Amino acid sequence: MVATIINGDEIAKTIRKEIKVEVDMLKAKGIDPGLVVIIVGEDPASQVYVRKKGEACNEMGICSETAMLPASTTEEELLELVDKYNKDPKFDGVLVQVPLPKHISEERVLLRIDPSKDVDGFHPMNVGKMLVGADCYLPCTPHGCQELLMRSGNDPAGKHVVVLGRSNIVGKPVACMLIQKAKGADATVTVCHSRTKNIAEITRQADILIAAIGQPKFVKADMVKDGVVVIDVGVNRIADATKKSGTRLVGDVDFDEVSKKAKAITPVPGGVGPMTITMLMKNTVQAAKVHHGLVEKC
Ligand code: L34
């Protein structure tokens, strides 16, 4: 079988058109959605992601600000800045890019974000709402994976989804979303991680495999069954002498091998990444609607 490529750039483009229509509608009512992204330190990958968030806002007509803080910023200073943006009505969404420098507690910072401005869906209040299936801001990367499945005609309902990885930003929330009794979910989910025994035996049972462990080309052809649908969340930069930059991006899946067996697969780049950013735009518009009383509280 030769896999269909699930084109994240294309699907993201379609959704961005839908979002733009909503932004224009809000603007016609005098509502200007706004997003502030806070980044601490100089991690090059984070800088790329944050820049892309600003660009997407510009494309959508969403008002955006990026607060770039030095790595030496104290936790107290960061918390004060979060407070300031929580109070500023110009911003419907407040996002703190992770990872943060080691001396800052991610847990305390995420807890400080106003849950109604938590467009990442990382505040424990929104995480809890998601767990019980209540309305909430869905975390962007897991929501992006779900949209990729649905819009490529691969509804996870009744399917065995195997998730590789148990991070708070992808593995745990995507597993939680896909077991919900809901549209785009209703899957049977197995989560594998660094302490799982016989990983390949489990991944071979997957109808849908979601890889989010941050290890370049970890998933090989002998770890999947014929006809699997693969969502590759990994964004790993590896050395490549043939490139001008000396590096290239690869996922957590060995694309060349696995795409020969899969029914459908997402590429890296151009798969989940653009969807993460797009879902953030969607949540920001939702937050603007909430803040202006157009929809129920999230
Ligand atoms: N608070 N922190 C917070 N929210 C998030 O949603 C994120 N994430 C993850 C890391 N930390 C975060 C992101 O923004 C990962 N992530 C993210 C965003 C965008 C892309 C990848 C990860 C992306 O656009 N990837 C491109 C390639 C980018 C490149 O050239 O490096 C792609 O096509 O996959």
Side-chain angles (χ1 to χ4, degrees):
M1 190 176 290
V2 176
T4 306
I5 309 287
I6 303 175
N7 188 331
D9 283 324
E10 278 300 315
I11 295 174
K13 213 160 140 192
T14 304
I15 301 174
R16 285 184 197 195
K17 277 192 198 132
E18 298 165 11
I19 297 171
K20 180 82 169 58
V21 171
E22 291 216 55
V23 172
D24 291 344
M25 189 200 75
L26 289 175
K27 287 189 159 175
K29 290 189 203 301
I31 298 168
D32 253 320
L35 171 68
V36 60
V37 176
I38 304 171
I39 172 169
V40 185
E42 256 107 67
D43 178 61
S46 296
Q47 286 181 336
V48 171
Y49 306 154
V50 166
R51 196 188 65 231
K52 283 176 181 275
K53 290 174 185 184
E55 287 166 358
C57 282
N58 291 343
E59 186 191 323
M60 301 287 92
I62 293 172
C63 148
S64 88
E65 194 169 301
T66 304
M68 292 192 180
L69 309 183
S72 58
T73 305
T74 65
E75 185 176 303
E76 204 45 48
E77 285 166 339
L78 179 57
L79 290 172
E80 276 168 23
L81 192 69
V82 168
D83 287 342
K84 185 188 112 182
Y85 287 123
N86 279 343
K87 283 189 227 122
D88 187 339
K90 210 163 76 207
F91 298 108
D92 300 291
V94 176
L95 181 156
V96 179
Q97 191 72 13
V98 296
L100 289 166
K102 286 199 174 43
H103 64 277
I104 299 179
S105 154
E106 196 172 294
E107 197 184 326
R108 276 196 290 272
V109 172
L110 296 180
L111 200 56
R112 193 73 156 245
I113 295 171
D114 176 342
S116 89
K117 295 195 173 189
D118 172 37
V119 286
D120 255 333
F122 287 175
H123 188 289
M125 165 101 84
N126 285 315
V127 178
K129 283 184 172 182
M130 182 186 62
L131 183 69
V132 298
D135 279 342
C136 62
Y137 297 112
L138 293 174
C140 302
T141 302
H143 194 197
C145 295
Q146 190 180 39
E147 286 287 332
L148 283 173
L149 288 171
M150 290 305 279
R151 292 186 187 237
S152 63
N154 294 295
D155 190 334
K159 295 286 177 359
H160 184 196
V161 176
V162 174
V163 176
L164 285 180
R166 55 173 157 182
S167 71
N168 285 341
I169 76 172
V170 189
K172 277 192 248 177
V174 82
C176 175
M177 274 173 70
L178 294 180
I179 57 168
Q180 296 296 327
K181 193 182 184 105
K183 190 163 168 281
D186 282 321
T188 304
V189 176
T190 304
V191 180
C192 299
H193 49 75
S194 51
R195 300 295 298 270
T196 300
K197 293 198 174 107
N198 304 324
I199 285 202
E201 249 168 57
I202 299 169
T203 55
R204 273 196 291 270
Q205 293 168 36
D207 301 313
I208 298 173
L209 181 65
I210 301 182
I213 45 173
Q215 291 195 40
K217 302 190 189 190
F218 178 87
V219 177
K220 302 288 182 192
D222 63 359
M223 294 173 69
V224 300
K225 71 176 176 192
D226 277 315
V228 67
V229 173
V230 179
I231 304 291
D232 189 352
V233 185
V235 194
N236 311 291
R237 205 165 277 284
I238 62 166
D240 183 342
T242 70
K243 296 278 181 243
K244 227 180 13 197
S245 62
T247 64
R248 95 188 133 100
L249 287 182
V250 297
D252 291 346
V253 177
D254 191 323
F255 183 92
D256 294 340
E257 279 190 10
V258 174
S259 60
K260 293 193 179 91
K261 268 178 109 175
K263 172 182 166 226
I265 185 167
T266 62
V268 177
V272 176
M275 293 297 288
T276 295
I277 309 234
T278 303
M279 294 303 112
L280 174 63
M281 301 298 111
K282 196 178 167 98
N283 283 348
T284 303
V285 170
Q286 178 70 12
K289 288 186 186 168
V290 169
H291 292 140
H292 292 86
L294 299 184
V295 291
E296 289 269 306
K297 273 237 165 297
C298 242

